[in-house]
Amino acid sequence: FVLNQSGAFEAGMALLGRGQPTERLGTQQGVHHSRSLWVFWGENPSKQDMMGRPEHTDKVMHSGTWHAQQAGSKVWIVRPDLEADWPTTPPTVMTPGPQAGTEARLRIEVNAGDLILINTALWYHQTIIPPQQRGATATTSLSLARDFYLGGEEAAAAAAPEVQMDNLEDTWATEHVPKGTIIVQVVGQPNPGHNWPKLTTVGVPNCEIRKFAKRNVQKLIALRDISEGESLVVAKT
């Protein structure tokens, strides 16, 4: 959940204490923070990894996000999106050993006191809460995060206006979807959330809606290969 523009935001920031990342990445260094504090909390008393949302990137305009692990541990699985709009040549992460030369994923474990900075628009990512059992009780995994803009308030204003958090309802691929796949089709009027997915128009379209008036059929078709975890995006029109 997110704390935004309220006393809860101030209380959440107080949990970070002195020397927290907002101070260390202060405005004197040309860094502007959004007025939102993300809170990620979970417990995993099982003996198996607790998997988060499938690998995905985020549609964001800021320079990055810092995540300060407050308690327990979390594992990040990341790899660069080579098709994203990188300011420089994107990094490559290669697999060593017998499969050398193939694209790999970095596995990063963070523990209480660790800080990770990541631009989730440029890096595919997935998080995992490993088994947290410690004796008779489970240790909570808790991290706090804030988005930041390099270049100060001017850069933030140029990237996007400061907005309050809201829900963005969309649908994402639960597995790889090849180009040309008919993702869903309905006869009659689509009813989002029932016989039709809730679609977003934020981003470059990877799907299109085709209407066949004679048969009163509408189809949602993949315009290109869609990766697992990627949101289904259609044009505004």
Side-chain angles (χ1 to χ4, degrees):
F1 59 92
V2 62
L3 305 178
N4 183 284
Q5 297 285 7
S6 67
F9 170 82
E10 302 297 343
M13 289 297 297
L15 292 175
L16 290 164
R18 297 186 60 183
Q20 46 98 350
T22 304
E23 296 176 355
R24 285 181 278 167
L25 298 174
T27 54
Q28 69 275 14
Q29 299 181 38
V31 177
H32 173 73
H33 284 83
S34 67
R35 179 72 182 186
S36 302
L37 180 68
W38 296 91
V39 181
F40 299 91
W41 173 90
E43 289 185 353
N44 181 12
S46 73
K47 296 181 180 180
Q48 305 295 325
D49 286 341
M50 179 184 291
M51 311 297 290
R53 181 181 171 183
E55 181 186 70
H56 64 284
T57 57
D58 298 323
K59 296 178 178 66
V60 294
M61 298 296 292
H62 52 67
S63 302
T65 306
W66 53 254
H67 292 255
Q69 191 72 23
Q70 303 297 296
S73 62
K74 181 184 292 185
V75 173
W76 288 75
I77 308 296
V78 302
R79 66 179 175 91
D81 179 2
L82 302 181
E83 302 300 322
D85 186 18
W86 288 82
T88 59
T89 302
T92 54
V93 180
M94 309 307 289
T95 301
Q99 295 183 331
T102 60
E103 185 179 1
R105 291 165 173 77
L106 294 175
R107 181 182 177 93
I108 306 167
E109 181 173 349
V110 292
N111 296 288
D114 288 341
L115 181 72
I116 182 171
L117 281 75
I118 184 171
N119 185 324
T120 55
L122 302 180
W123 289 83
Y124 281 105
H125 57 285
Q126 178 182 20
T127 56
I128 300 170
I129 298 180
Q132 304 279 320
Q133 194 73 26
R134 299 292 185 273
T137 59
T139 301
T140 296
S141 175
L142 172 65
S143 62
L144 305 177
R146 288 191 78 182
D147 305 324
F148 62 87
Y149 298 83
L150 300 177
E153 294 185 17
E154 294 79 8
E162 192 79 7
V163 297
Q164 303 303 311
M165 294 295 109
D166 199 358
N167 292 324
L168 175 63
E169 294 186 320
D170 67 352
T171 302
W172 58 86
T174 57
E175 59 185 21
H176 175 78
V177 180
K179 178 181 177 180
T181 298
I182 299 175
I183 300 171
V184 63
Q185 68 176 10
V186 297
V187 176
Q189 185 64 30
N191 186 355
H194 295 276
N195 64 353
W196 193 261
K198 296 180 179 180
L199 303 171
T200 180
T201 58
V202 179
V204 178
N206 54 22
C207 300
E208 70 174 355
I209 300 172
R210 296 180 186 175
K211 300 180 180 180
F212 301 86
K214 291 185 177 180
R215 291 181 290 167
N216 195 23
V217 171
Q218 296 194 45
K219 299 180 181 181
L220 181 66
I221 300 175
L223 293 174
R224 59 168 175 80
D225 287 354
I226 302 174
S227 301
E228 178 183 349
E230 190 176 353
S231 295
L232 304 183
V233 185
V234 295
K236 291 184 179 180
T237 55

